[in-house]
Amino acid sequence: MAGVVRTPERHLEGLPNFPFEAHYREVDWLRLAHINQREGPPVVFFHGEPTWSFLWRNVMPPVRDAGFRCLAPDLVGFGRSDKPGDIDFYSYDRHVALAGTLFEDLDLRGATVVVHDWGGPIGLRLAVEHPGRVDRLVILDTGLFTGRQRMTDAWIAFRDFVARTEDLPVGFLVRGACKTDPGDEVIAAYDAPFPDVASKAGARAFPLLIPQTPDAPGASAGQRVLEALRDDHRPTLMLWGDSDPVLPLSVAERFAESIGRPPPRPIDNASHFLQEDQGPEIGGLIADWLLAG
């Protein structure tokens, strides 16, 4: 197996509007990072592809200030977590297993999970498999992969680009899926965890893990989660960027219907990375919803 990249701390210092301290856990032979803000009922924010906990920097403060404990893990291969350089290391099952250790190690109970992009298949599966630890769901621009899902032309183009691009331009991809350009300093912060080609194996792996047929790896697990959510009555908030080219509102409405939820609330002037476009608004909506519940 290829070596493991550990991003030097100096690469991740002084990032814009990101004063959050890293907390680390050792899981097997990997060091995994997470943010942990204040005490209170836990809210766990799961990022996706190709981002890291930096994505949530403008969303968490309103939730934290409303009295909730905000936790944002960096998935293995991303952010301040270790990055195995072998693309074959990464699988849906392994991501779920490693992410699930956060709930076990910190003994989180009564949690709200907030999921986006690949954080959806991971966080929603954890919610289904550990119902005693998760009380509420917040779903942003994501889906479940069953091998039966219809993929947009924009996503197919993205997957093909990733498949042929070893030195993945992470910041470029984030910028292209924002409604408003977040600026060079923010884009550099998305590039910062990836100092070399080997460190990008996890980011390259995610699009290639999406099952295209029902018998592909991960498809049956995705189908189980989808079916479980249809009969799941935990409170759920769905928010969706109104200008997402990868997962447009039409996809959002079909996904909501497939899991027995009403259509999501559109977020105006927001693309796929709606946290960049409208982060404080999203944080406020989540905080208000939690307080009302």
Side-chain angles (χ1 to χ4, degrees):
M1 179 171 171
V4 174
V5 177
R6 180 167 293 174
T7 303
E9 294 288 341
R10 66 180 184 276
H11 286 222
L12 302 169
E13 294 173 351
L15 302 183
N17 195 29
F18 192 68
F20 305 106
E21 179 185 358
H23 297 260
Y24 293 105
R25 298 175 299 117
E26 295 290 333
V27 181
D28 297 331
W29 42 272
L30 294 166
R31 189 179 75 166
L32 302 180
H34 66 278
I35 292 168
N36 187 0
Q37 289 276 294
R38 72 164 292 147
E39 294 301 316
V43 182
V44 186
F45 297 82
F46 284 102
H47 73 83
E49 161 77 351
T51 58
W52 59 293
S53 56
F54 180 78
L55 177 74
W56 301 108
R57 70 195 183 284
N58 295 321
V59 178
M60 290 190 294
V63 180
R64 176 199 62 202
D65 295 347
F68 295 89
R69 179 184 182 185
C70 291
L71 301 111
D74 289 333
L75 299 175
V76 64
F78 295 85
R80 294 184 278 205
S81 289
D82 282 350
K83 302 169 185 67
D86 183 352
I87 198 169
D88 293 331
F89 167 86
Y90 299 92
S91 71
Y92 181 31
D93 288 347
R94 180 166 274 162
H95 268 296
V96 171
L98 289 172
T101 63
L102 181 76
F103 289 85
E104 298 161 8
D105 291 347
L106 302 185
D107 194 25
L108 301 180
R109 299 182 186 277
T112 299
V113 295
V114 183
V115 301
H116 175 254
D117 193 90
W118 256 99
I122 293 168
L124 294 176
R125 181 171 166 185
L126 288 172
V128 164
E129 295 181 351
H130 303 280
R133 295 189 180 275
V134 178
D135 284 359
R136 296 176 182 83
L137 312 174
V138 179
I139 300 174
L140 317 174
D141 294 59
T142 187
L144 290 167
F145 306 122
T146 65
R148 299 176 176 87
Q149 73 282 341
R150 287 179 282 174
M151 307 305 292
T152 62
D153 291 343
W155 181 85
I156 292 169
F158 169 63
R159 180 200 61 192
D160 292 346
F161 174 76
V162 170
R164 65 176 183 267
T165 308
E166 189 175 13
D167 192 4
L168 200 66
V170 169
F172 170 82
L173 295 174
V174 173
R175 174 175 260 146
C178 293
K179 178 75 170 180
T180 303
D181 190 333
D184 291 346
E185 193 178 14
V186 167
I187 293 304
Y190 283 108
D191 282 321
F194 304 104
D196 54 29
V197 170
S199 67
K200 299 179 181 183
R204 290 188 62 226
F206 260 146
L208 309 180
L209 293 179
I210 296 179
Q212 300 300 300
T213 60
D215 59 351
S220 61
Q223 185 67 34
R224 286 197 305 272
V225 175
L226 187 146
E227 292 171 357
L229 288 175
R230 286 177 186 155
D231 299 321
D232 189 306
H233 301 294
R234 280 174 284 188
T236 301
L237 173 67
M238 293 186 72
L239 306 173
W240 217 273
D242 69 343
S243 303
D244 188 337
V246 181
L247 298 171
L249 280 170
S250 59
V251 171
E253 290 163 359
R254 289 198 301 271
F255 177 50
E257 183 180 10
S258 73
I259 59 172
R261 267 67 175 183
R265 172 173 176 165
I267 302 298
D268 292 340
N269 295 312
S271 187
H272 183 66
F273 294 112
L274 63 169
Q275 301 92 334
E276 286 298 333
D277 291 317
Q278 303 293 349
E281 177 188 349
I282 292 164
L285 289 170
I286 294 171
D288 291 346
W289 179 73
L290 290 170
L291 291 171

